[in-house]
Protein backbone atom coordinates (compact mmCIF):
# COMPACT_ATOMS: atom_id res chain seq x y z
CA UNK A 1 0.00 0.00 0.00
CA UNK A 2 1.60 3.32 -1.08
CA UNK A 3 2.43 5.99 1.51
CA UNK A 4 0.97 9.41 0.67
CA UNK A 5 3.33 11.07 3.13
CA UNK A 6 0.79 12.16 5.73
CA UNK A 7 3.23 11.36 8.55
CA UNK A 8 5.44 8.72 10.16
CA UNK A 9 3.13 7.67 12.98
CA UNK A 10 2.28 4.56 10.96
CA UNK A 11 5.66 3.12 11.95
CA UNK A 12 4.55 2.93 15.58
CA UNK A 13 1.11 1.56 14.69
CA UNK A 14 2.82 -1.05 12.49
CA UNK A 15 4.92 -2.07 15.49
CA UNK A 16 1.63 -2.58 17.35
CA UNK A 17 0.37 -4.76 14.49
CA UNK A 18 3.45 -6.95 14.72
CA UNK A 19 3.51 -7.19 18.52
CA UNK A 20 -0.23 -7.80 18.87
CA UNK A 21 -0.08 -10.34 16.06
CA UNK A 22 2.70 -12.24 17.83
CA UNK A 23 0.78 -12.22 21.12
CA UNK A 24 -2.36 -13.51 19.38
CA UNK A 25 -0.43 -16.21 17.56
CA UNK A 26 1.19 -17.36 20.82
CA UNK A 27 -2.16 -17.56 22.59
CA UNK A 28 -3.67 -19.60 19.75
CA UNK A 29 -0.70 -21.98 19.50
CA UNK A 30 -0.55 -22.60 23.25
CA UNK A 31 -4.29 -23.27 23.25
CA UNK A 32 -5.02 -21.99 26.75
CA UNK A 33 -8.26 -20.01 27.14
CA UNK A 34 -6.70 -16.74 28.33
CA UNK A 35 -9.73 -14.99 26.92
CA UNK A 36 -9.42 -11.53 28.42
CA UNK A 37 -5.85 -11.24 27.19
CA UNK A 38 -6.81 -12.57 23.75
CA UNK A 39 -9.62 -10.10 23.14
CA UNK A 40 -7.50 -7.20 24.38
CA UNK A 41 -4.83 -8.02 21.83
CA UNK A 42 -7.40 -8.59 19.13
CA UNK A 43 -8.73 -5.07 19.67
CA UNK A 44 -5.22 -3.61 19.59
CA UNK A 45 -4.34 -5.60 16.47
CA UNK A 46 -7.28 -4.32 14.41
CA UNK A 47 -8.37 -0.97 15.85
CA UNK A 48 -5.02 0.44 17.03
CA UNK A 49 -2.78 -1.39 14.57
CA UNK A 50 -4.10 -2.28 11.14
CA UNK A 51 -6.75 0.46 10.83
CA UNK A 52 -4.62 3.52 11.70
CA UNK A 53 -1.66 2.15 9.72
CA UNK A 54 -3.80 1.90 6.60
CA UNK A 55 -5.49 5.24 7.19
CA UNK A 56 -2.29 7.18 7.86
CA UNK A 57 -0.44 5.71 4.87
CA UNK A 58 -3.39 6.23 2.52
CA UNK A 59 -4.32 9.63 3.93
CA UNK A 60 -7.95 8.44 4.17
CA UNK A 61 -8.73 8.73 7.86
CA UNK A 62 -12.15 7.97 9.34
CA UNK A 63 -14.79 10.09 7.59
CA UNK A 64 -16.37 11.02 10.92
CA UNK A 65 -13.16 12.41 12.46
CA UNK A 66 -11.86 14.67 9.73
CA UNK A 67 -9.65 17.71 10.22
CA UNK A 68 -7.22 16.27 12.76
CA UNK A 69 -3.88 18.07 12.86
CA UNK A 70 -1.15 15.82 11.47
CA UNK A 71 1.18 16.96 14.26
CA UNK A 72 -1.02 15.04 16.72
CA UNK A 73 -0.52 11.68 15.00
CA UNK A 74 2.93 10.79 16.33
CA UNK A 75 2.18 11.65 20.00
CA UNK A 76 -1.15 9.81 19.68
CA UNK A 77 0.61 6.68 18.42
CA UNK A 78 3.11 7.03 21.28
CA UNK A 79 0.25 7.29 23.82
CA UNK A 80 -1.38 4.17 22.42
CA UNK A 81 1.93 2.32 22.67
CA UNK A 82 2.39 3.64 26.22
CA UNK A 83 -0.99 2.23 27.23
CA UNK A 84 -0.13 -1.15 25.72
CA UNK A 85 3.26 -1.19 27.49
CA UNK A 86 1.60 -0.39 30.84
CA UNK A 87 -0.90 -3.19 30.20
CA UNK A 88 1.98 -5.63 29.72
CA UNK A 89 3.68 -4.40 32.90
CA UNK A 90 0.47 -4.74 34.94
CA UNK A 91 0.01 -8.26 33.66
CA UNK A 92 3.59 -9.18 34.55
CA UNK A 93 3.12 -7.83 38.08
CA UNK A 94 0.03 -10.03 38.50
CA UNK A 95 2.01 -12.99 37.17
CA UNK A 96 4.76 -12.29 39.71
CA UNK A 97 2.22 -12.24 42.54
CA UNK A 98 0.83 -15.58 41.38
CA UNK A 99 4.31 -17.10 41.31
CA UNK A 100 4.95 -15.77 44.80
CA UNK A 101 1.76 -17.36 46.16
CA UNK A 102 2.59 -20.67 44.50
CA UNK A 103 6.11 -20.63 45.95
CA UNK A 104 4.78 -19.88 49.44
CA UNK A 105 2.17 -22.62 49.12
CA UNK A 106 4.79 -25.14 48.01
CA UNK A 107 7.02 -24.38 50.99
CA UNK A 108 4.20 -24.52 53.54
CA UNK A 109 2.01 -27.33 52.18
CA UNK A 110 4.20 -29.25 49.80
CA UNK A 111 2.14 -28.27 46.75
CA UNK A 112 0.50 -25.31 45.07
CA UNK A 113 -2.44 -23.70 46.85
CA UNK A 114 -5.84 -24.57 45.46
CA UNK A 115 -9.02 -22.54 45.18
CA UNK A 116 -12.48 -24.11 45.34
CA UNK A 117 -14.39 -23.82 42.09
CA UNK A 118 -17.43 -21.57 42.51
CA UNK A 119 -20.65 -23.16 41.25
CA UNK A 120 -24.16 -21.85 40.49
CA UNK A 121 -27.32 -22.21 42.59
CA UNK A 122 -30.10 -24.24 40.98
CA UNK A 123 -33.10 -22.25 42.21
CA UNK A 124 -31.46 -18.90 41.50
CA UNK A 125 -30.69 -20.15 38.00
CA UNK A 126 -34.31 -21.15 37.38
CA UNK A 127 -35.58 -17.79 38.66
CA UNK A 128 -33.11 -15.92 36.46
CA UNK A 129 -34.07 -17.94 33.37
CA UNK A 130 -37.74 -17.22 34.07
CA UNK A 131 -37.04 -13.52 34.47
CA UNK A 132 -34.98 -13.60 31.28
CA UNK A 133 -37.92 -15.05 29.36
CA UNK A 134 -40.20 -12.32 30.70
CA UNK A 135 -37.79 -9.47 29.93
CA UNK A 136 -37.02 -10.74 26.42
CA UNK A 137 -40.70 -11.29 25.54
CA UNK A 138 -41.57 -7.83 26.88
CA UNK A 139 -38.82 -6.28 24.75
CA UNK A 140 -40.03 -8.11 21.63
CA UNK A 141 -43.62 -7.03 22.29
CA UNK A 142 -42.58 -3.36 22.59
CA UNK A 143 -40.27 -3.29 19.55
CA UNK A 144 -42.13 -5.71 17.27
CA UNK A 145 -40.80 -8.55 15.15
CA UNK A 146 -41.00 -6.36 12.03
CA UNK A 147 -38.54 -3.85 13.47
CA UNK A 148 -36.30 -6.55 14.91
CA UNK A 149 -35.88 -8.17 11.48
CA UNK A 150 -36.04 -5.00 9.39
CA UNK A 151 -32.73 -3.19 9.66
CA UNK A 152 -30.47 -1.93 12.41
CA UNK A 153 -31.62 1.66 11.91
CA UNK A 154 -35.27 0.60 12.05
CA UNK A 155 -34.75 -1.37 15.27
CA UNK A 156 -32.85 1.50 16.90
CA UNK A 157 -35.59 3.94 15.89
CA UNK A 158 -38.18 1.67 17.47
CA UNK A 159 -36.17 1.45 20.71
CA UNK A 160 -35.69 5.23 20.74
CA UNK A 161 -39.41 5.83 20.27
CA UNK A 162 -40.28 3.39 23.06
CA UNK A 163 -37.68 4.60 25.59
CA UNK A 164 -36.67 8.19 24.90
CA UNK A 165 -34.14 8.48 27.75
CA UNK A 166 -30.80 6.98 26.60
CA UNK A 167 -30.01 5.56 30.05
CA UNK A 168 -33.39 3.82 30.30
CA UNK A 169 -33.10 2.59 26.71
CA UNK A 170 -29.67 1.09 27.39
CA UNK A 171 -30.86 -0.70 30.53
CA UNK A 172 -33.99 -2.08 28.84
CA UNK A 173 -31.91 -3.47 25.98
CA UNK A 174 -29.49 -5.01 28.47
CA UNK A 175 -32.21 -6.71 30.53
CA UNK A 176 -33.68 -8.14 27.32
CA UNK A 177 -30.39 -9.94 26.65
CA UNK A 178 -28.19 -10.63 29.64
CA UNK A 179 -30.52 -12.24 32.22
CA UNK A 180 -31.40 -14.85 29.61
CA UNK A 181 -27.81 -15.19 28.34
CA UNK A 182 -26.37 -15.66 31.84
CA UNK A 183 -29.33 -17.83 32.84
CA UNK A 184 -28.80 -20.17 29.89
CA UNK A 185 -25.14 -20.55 30.83
CA UNK A 186 -26.01 -21.35 34.42
CA UNK A 187 -28.75 -23.77 33.36
CA UNK A 188 -26.29 -25.59 31.11
CA UNK A 189 -24.14 -26.19 34.18
CA UNK A 190 -27.13 -27.28 36.29
CA UNK A 191 -28.14 -29.72 33.53
CA UNK A 192 -24.66 -31.29 33.49
CA UNK A 193 -25.08 -32.38 37.10
CA UNK A 194 -28.68 -33.54 36.60
CA UNK A 195 -29.92 -36.86 35.20
CA UNK A 196 -33.19 -38.34 34.00
CA UNK A 197 -36.31 -36.52 32.77
CA UNK A 198 -35.34 -33.32 34.58
CA UNK A 199 -32.18 -33.06 32.48
CA UNK A 200 -34.28 -33.45 29.33
CA UNK A 201 -36.64 -30.70 30.54
CA UNK A 202 -33.70 -28.39 31.17
CA UNK A 203 -32.47 -29.13 27.66
CA UNK A 204 -35.81 -28.06 26.22
CA UNK A 205 -35.80 -24.83 28.21
CA UNK A 206 -32.25 -24.10 27.00
CA UNK A 207 -33.27 -24.63 23.36
CA UNK A 208 -36.29 -22.32 23.68
CA UNK A 209 -34.18 -19.74 25.51
CA UNK A 210 -31.57 -19.73 22.75
CA UNK A 211 -34.27 -19.25 20.09
CA UNK A 212 -35.74 -16.33 22.05
CA UNK A 213 -32.32 -14.80 22.67
CA UNK A 214 -31.41 -14.97 18.97
CA UNK A 215 -34.68 -13.21 18.17
CA UNK A 216 -33.68 -10.25 20.33
CA UNK A 217 -30.04 -10.36 19.17
CA UNK A 218 -30.06 -11.29 15.51
CA UNK A 219 -27.67 -10.56 12.60
CA UNK A 220 -30.10 -8.15 10.94
CA UNK A 221 -30.86 -5.54 13.59
CA UNK A 222 -28.37 -6.06 16.40
CA UNK A 223 -25.10 -4.26 16.93
CA UNK A 224 -22.24 -6.46 15.76
CA UNK A 225 -20.53 -6.41 19.15
CA UNK A 226 -23.70 -7.54 20.94
CA UNK A 227 -24.26 -10.32 18.42
CA UNK A 228 -20.63 -11.43 18.72
CA UNK A 229 -20.89 -11.51 22.51
CA UNK A 230 -24.00 -13.71 22.42
CA UNK A 231 -22.69 -16.09 19.75
CA UNK A 232 -19.33 -16.57 21.47
CA UNK A 233 -21.01 -17.15 24.83
CA UNK A 234 -23.33 -19.78 23.35
CA UNK A 235 -20.34 -21.50 21.72
CA UNK A 236 -18.54 -21.61 25.08
CA UNK A 237 -21.64 -23.03 26.75
CA UNK A 238 -21.64 -25.74 24.07
CA UNK A 239 -18.08 -26.75 24.98
CA UNK A 240 -15.95 -24.71 22.56
CA UNK A 241 -13.13 -24.41 25.12
CA UNK A 242 -13.04 -27.90 26.61
CA UNK A 243 -9.87 -29.08 24.83
CA UNK A 244 -6.73 -27.46 23.49
CA UNK A 245 -7.82 -28.14 19.90
CA UNK A 246 -11.21 -26.52 20.51
CA UNK A 247 -9.60 -23.49 22.15
CA UNK A 248 -7.37 -23.00 19.12
CA UNK A 249 -10.36 -23.31 16.80
CA UNK A 250 -12.50 -20.90 18.84
CA UNK A 251 -9.80 -18.24 19.12
CA UNK A 252 -8.94 -18.49 15.43
CA UNK A 253 -12.62 -18.24 14.52
CA UNK A 254 -13.00 -15.14 16.71
CA UNK A 255 -10.03 -13.44 15.03
CA UNK A 256 -11.18 -14.36 11.52
CA UNK A 257 -14.69 -13.20 12.41
CA UNK A 258 -13.51 -9.75 13.50
CA UNK A 259 -11.31 -9.23 10.45
CA UNK A 260 -13.54 -10.69 7.73
CA UNK A 261 -17.12 -11.14 9.01
CA UNK A 262 -17.36 -7.95 11.11
CA UNK A 263 -17.31 -5.74 7.95
CA UNK A 264 -19.94 -7.88 6.20
CA UNK A 265 -22.30 -7.65 9.17
CA UNK A 266 -22.47 -3.89 8.57
CA UNK A 267 -24.44 -4.57 5.38
CA UNK A 268 -27.69 -4.75 7.36
CA UNK A 269 -27.34 -1.38 9.08
CA UNK A 270 -29.39 0.31 6.36
CA UNK A 271 -32.52 -0.91 4.54
CA UNK A 272 -30.43 -1.07 1.34
CA UNK A 273 -27.95 -3.94 1.66
CA UNK A 274 -24.41 -2.91 0.66
CA UNK A 275 -21.77 -5.60 0.32
CA UNK A 276 -19.29 -3.63 -1.79
CA UNK A 277 -15.76 -3.79 -0.36
CA UNK A 278 -12.62 -2.44 -2.02
CA UNK A 279 -10.19 -5.18 -1.02
CA UNK A 280 -8.67 -5.92 2.37
CA UNK A 281 -7.02 -2.54 2.96
CA UNK A 282 -9.93 -0.72 1.36
CA UNK A 283 -12.10 -1.85 4.25
CA UNK A 284 -10.18 0.47 6.58
CA UNK A 285 -9.71 3.50 4.31
CA UNK A 286 -11.96 6.27 5.59
CA UNK A 287 -14.20 3.79 7.42
CA UNK A 288 -15.91 5.43 10.44
CA UNK A 289 -16.05 2.03 12.20
CA UNK A 290 -12.31 2.45 12.81
CA UNK A 291 -12.22 5.91 14.37
CA UNK A 292 -10.67 4.75 17.67
CA UNK A 293 -7.13 6.00 16.99
CA UNK A 294 -8.38 9.41 15.91
CA UNK A 295 -10.57 9.76 18.97
CA UNK A 296 -7.45 9.24 21.09
CA UNK A 297 -5.91 12.13 19.12
CA UNK A 298 -8.98 14.26 19.87
CA UNK A 299 -8.79 13.34 23.56
CA UNK A 300 -5.12 14.32 23.63
CA UNK A 301 -5.97 17.63 21.98
CA UNK A 302 -8.80 18.10 24.49
CA UNK A 303 -6.25 17.86 27.29
CA UNK A 304 -3.80 20.19 25.56
CA UNK A 305 -6.54 22.81 25.45
CA UNK A 306 -6.94 22.56 29.24
CA UNK A 307 -10.50 21.24 29.15
CA UNK A 308 -10.03 18.18 31.38
CA UNK A 309 -12.34 17.98 34.41
CA UNK A 310 -10.74 15.18 36.45
CA UNK A 311 -13.06 12.25 36.98
CA UNK A 312 -16.19 13.92 35.56
CA UNK A 313 -16.67 11.46 32.68
CA UNK A 314 -15.93 8.54 35.00
CA UNK A 315 -18.60 9.77 37.41
CA UNK A 316 -21.12 9.79 34.59
CA UNK A 317 -20.23 6.18 33.79
CA UNK A 318 -20.57 5.08 37.42
CA UNK A 319 -23.93 6.86 37.75
CA UNK A 320 -25.15 5.71 34.32
CA UNK A 321 -28.47 4.67 35.85
CA UNK A 322 -29.50 8.22 36.82
CA UNK A 323 -31.92 9.63 34.20
CA UNK A 324 -31.05 13.00 32.70
CA UNK A 325 -34.38 14.30 33.91
CA UNK A 326 -33.03 14.02 37.46
CA UNK A 327 -29.48 15.09 36.55
CA UNK A 328 -29.68 17.70 33.76
CA UNK A 329 -25.91 18.28 33.85
CA UNK A 330 -25.09 14.59 33.57
CA UNK A 331 -22.00 14.03 31.37
CA UNK A 332 -22.63 12.86 27.83
CA UNK A 333 -20.79 9.89 26.33
CA UNK A 334 -17.09 10.65 25.92
CA UNK A 335 -17.42 10.01 22.18
CA UNK A 336 -20.14 12.66 21.99
CA UNK A 337 -18.11 15.01 24.20
CA UNK A 338 -15.12 14.81 21.84
CA UNK A 339 -17.35 15.20 18.79
CA UNK A 340 -18.88 18.35 20.27
CA UNK A 341 -15.42 19.62 21.15
CA UNK A 342 -14.32 19.22 17.52
CA UNK A 343 -17.61 20.50 16.10
CA UNK A 344 -18.47 17.30 14.23
CA UNK A 345 -22.00 17.03 12.88
CA UNK A 346 -22.06 13.26 13.45
CA UNK A 347 -21.59 12.58 17.15
CA UNK A 348 -22.12 8.83 17.63
CA UNK A 349 -18.37 8.20 17.82
CA UNK A 350 -16.29 5.76 19.79
CA UNK A 351 -14.11 6.70 22.75
CA UNK A 352 -11.52 3.96 23.32
CA UNK A 353 -10.17 3.33 26.78
CA UNK A 354 -7.10 5.45 26.00
CA UNK A 355 -9.39 8.42 25.31
CA UNK A 356 -11.47 7.77 28.44
CA UNK A 357 -8.36 7.83 30.62
CA UNK A 358 -7.05 10.99 28.95
CA UNK A 359 -10.24 13.03 29.38
CA UNK A 360 -10.52 11.90 33.01
CA UNK A 361 -7.07 13.05 34.07
CA UNK A 362 -4.45 13.06 31.33
CA UNK A 363 -1.39 10.89 30.75
CA UNK A 364 -0.93 10.00 34.43
CA UNK A 365 -4.40 8.45 34.59
CA UNK A 366 -3.70 6.61 31.33
CA UNK A 367 -0.56 5.04 32.82
CA UNK A 368 -2.19 4.02 36.10
CA UNK A 369 -5.34 2.90 34.32
CA UNK A 370 -3.61 0.49 31.98
CA UNK A 371 -1.42 -0.87 34.75
CA UNK A 372 -4.60 -1.75 36.63
CA UNK A 373 -6.29 -3.14 33.51
CA UNK A 374 -3.34 -5.43 32.81
CA UNK A 375 -3.25 -6.64 36.40
CA UNK A 376 -7.02 -7.20 36.62
CA UNK A 377 -7.32 -9.06 33.33
CA UNK A 378 -4.46 -11.39 34.27
CA UNK A 379 -6.21 -12.20 37.57
CA UNK A 380 -9.49 -12.92 35.77
CA UNK A 381 -7.77 -15.11 33.19
CA UNK A 382 -6.18 -17.10 36.01
CA UNK A 383 -9.62 -17.79 37.49
CA UNK A 384 -10.98 -18.78 34.11
CA UNK A 385 -8.57 -21.65 33.49
CA UNK A 386 -9.82 -24.09 36.16
CA UNK A 387 -13.46 -23.10 35.65
CA UNK A 388 -13.43 -24.01 31.96
CA UNK A 389 -13.05 -27.71 32.74
CA UNK A 390 -14.91 -27.77 36.05
CA UNK A 391 -18.02 -25.94 34.74
CA UNK A 392 -17.66 -23.28 37.41
CA UNK A 393 -19.27 -19.88 37.81
CA UNK A 394 -16.21 -18.27 36.27
CA UNK A 395 -16.83 -20.21 33.07
CA UNK A 396 -19.94 -18.04 32.58
CA UNK A 397 -17.86 -14.93 33.26
CA UNK A 398 -15.39 -16.11 30.61
CA UNK A 399 -18.15 -16.80 28.13
CA UNK A 400 -19.74 -13.36 28.37
CA UNK A 401 -17.26 -10.69 29.41
CA UNK A 402 -14.11 -11.15 27.28
CA UNK A 403 -15.97 -10.48 24.03
CA UNK A 404 -18.00 -7.69 25.60
CA UNK A 405 -14.70 -6.18 26.69
CA UNK A 406 -14.24 -5.20 23.03
CA UNK A 407 -17.13 -2.78 23.52
CA UNK A 408 -15.54 -1.42 26.70
CA UNK A 409 -12.21 -0.96 24.92
CA UNK A 410 -13.87 0.83 21.99
CA UNK A 411 -16.13 2.93 24.21
CA UNK A 412 -17.80 5.04 25.22
CA UNK A 413 -17.89 3.67 28.75
CA UNK A 414 -21.13 5.48 29.59
CA UNK A 415 -22.90 3.48 26.87
CA UNK A 416 -21.37 0.20 28.00
CA UNK A 417 -21.53 0.31 31.80
CA UNK A 418 -25.28 -0.30 31.96
CA UNK A 419 -24.84 -3.68 30.29
CA UNK A 420 -21.92 -4.54 32.59
CA UNK A 421 -24.01 -3.73 35.66
CA UNK A 422 -26.93 -5.87 34.48
CA UNK A 423 -24.68 -8.81 33.58
CA UNK A 424 -22.81 -8.58 36.89
CA UNK A 425 -26.06 -8.51 38.84
CA UNK A 426 -27.20 -11.67 37.03
CA UNK A 427 -23.90 -13.41 37.70
CA UNK A 428 -23.97 -12.53 41.39
CA UNK A 429 -27.56 -13.75 41.62
CA UNK A 430 -26.68 -17.30 40.49
CA UNK A 431 -23.31 -17.51 42.27
CA UNK A 432 -22.76 -20.15 44.94
CA UNK A 433 -19.34 -20.76 46.54
CA UNK A 434 -18.34 -24.41 46.90
CA UNK A 435 -15.89 -25.16 49.67
CA UNK A 436 -15.89 -28.94 49.79
CA UNK A 437 -12.33 -30.27 50.15
CA UNK A 438 -12.70 -33.08 47.62
CA UNK A 439 -13.89 -33.17 44.04
CA UNK A 440 -15.01 -29.53 43.89
CA UNK A 441 -11.55 -28.13 44.50
CA UNK A 442 -9.02 -27.47 41.78
CA UNK A 443 -6.87 -30.36 42.89
CA UNK A 444 -9.73 -32.83 42.57
CA UNK A 445 -10.58 -32.14 38.93
CA UNK A 446 -9.11 -34.10 36.05
CA UNK A 447 -8.50 -32.01 32.96
CA UNK A 448 -5.50 -33.44 31.07
CA UNK A 449 -5.56 -30.86 28.29
CA UNK A 450 -4.71 -28.07 30.73
CA UNK A 451 -2.89 -30.04 33.43
CA UNK A 452 0.55 -28.47 33.91
CA UNK A 453 3.17 -27.97 36.55
CA UNK A 454 2.50 -25.25 39.15
CA UNK A 455 5.06 -22.94 37.56
CA UNK A 456 3.75 -23.29 34.02
CA UNK A 457 0.12 -22.90 35.14
CA UNK A 458 0.82 -19.27 35.90
CA UNK A 459 2.70 -18.45 32.71
CA UNK A 460 2.33 -14.88 31.49
CA UNK A 461 -0.06 -15.97 28.72
Amino acid sequence: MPDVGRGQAWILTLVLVVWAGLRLALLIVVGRPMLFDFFFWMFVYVFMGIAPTVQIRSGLISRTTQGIDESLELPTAALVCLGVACYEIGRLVAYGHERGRLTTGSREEGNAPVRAVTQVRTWSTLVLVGAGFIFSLYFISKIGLGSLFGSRDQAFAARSATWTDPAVRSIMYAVAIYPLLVGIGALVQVRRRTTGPLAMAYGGVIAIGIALLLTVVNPVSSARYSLGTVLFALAVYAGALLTVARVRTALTAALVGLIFLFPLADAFRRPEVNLVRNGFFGEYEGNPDYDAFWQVANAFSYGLDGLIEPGRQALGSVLFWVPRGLWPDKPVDTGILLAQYRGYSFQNLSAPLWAEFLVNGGIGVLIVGFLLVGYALRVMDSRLLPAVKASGYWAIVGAVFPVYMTILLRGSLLQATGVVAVALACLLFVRQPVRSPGGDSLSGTNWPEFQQSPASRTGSG
Side-chain angles (χ1 to χ4, degrees), residues 70 121 152 167 185 191 309 313 335 389 420 438 447 453 457 459:
E70 293 181 15
R121 290 192 295 254
R152 199 170 306 165
R191 182 175 182 268
E309 298 180 64
Q313 291 302 115
K389 295 295 290 186
V420 173
W447 352 297
S453 66
R457 268 204 306 268

Side-chain angles (χ1 to χ4, degrees), residues 34-220:
M34 310 288 281
L35 298 180
F36 287 99
D37 194 36
F38 180 82
F39 282 98
F40 174 85
W41 287 113
M42 198 163 72
F43 179 86
V44 172
Y45 181 69
V46 173
F47 290 89
M48 294 303 185
I50 294 177
T53 301
V54 171
Q55 292 180 358
I56 293 170
R57 284 183 63 86
S58 66
L60 300 173
I61 71 171
S62 170
R63 293 187 294 274
T64 53
T65 53
Q66 293 293 320
I68 293 178
D69 192 329
E70 293 181 15
S71 66
L72 292 174
E73 292 177 5
L74 197 56
T76 299
L79 286 171
V80 173
C81 290
L82 176 63
V84 169
C86 290
Y87 170 85
E88 289 280 51
I89 293 170
R91 201 166 175 92
L92 284 171
V93 171
Y95 166 65
H97 286 173
E98 290 172 11
R99 287 291 298 262
R101 286 195 297 271
L102 284 170
T103 302
T104 302
S106 297
R107 284 199 307 264
E108 294 178 355
E109 302 175 13
N111 51 35
V114 296
R115 180 190 291 120
V117 174
T118 306
Q119 300 291 346
V120 297
R121 290 192 295 254
T122 300
W123 283 108
S124 295
T125 296
L126 296 177
V127 170
L128 182 63
V129 170
F133 272 92
I134 294 172
F135 292 143
S136 296
L137 289 170
Y138 174 75
F139 180 85
I140 293 171
S141 69
K142 298 297 289 186
I143 302 303
L145 287 174
S147 296
L148 282 173
F149 290 96
S151 69
R152 199 170 306 165
D153 285 349
Q154 184 178 346
F156 182 77
R159 293 202 304 269
S160 299
T162 305
W163 301 289
T164 56
D165 186 278
V168 175
R169 183 166 62 243
S170 174
I171 293 174
M172 293 306 299
Y173 189 50
V175 299
I177 300 172
Y178 288 92
L180 191 53
L181 181 61
V182 173
I184 289 172
L187 191 58
V188 167
Q189 296 191 20
V190 171
R191 182 175 182 268
R192 286 174 180 168
R193 59 183 190 238
T194 307
T195 57
L198 190 57
M200 294 181 61
Y202 287 159
V205 173
I206 290 169
I208 297 171
I210 291 174
L212 184 59
L213 186 61
L214 293 179
T215 301
V216 176
V217 187
N218 62 77
V220 176

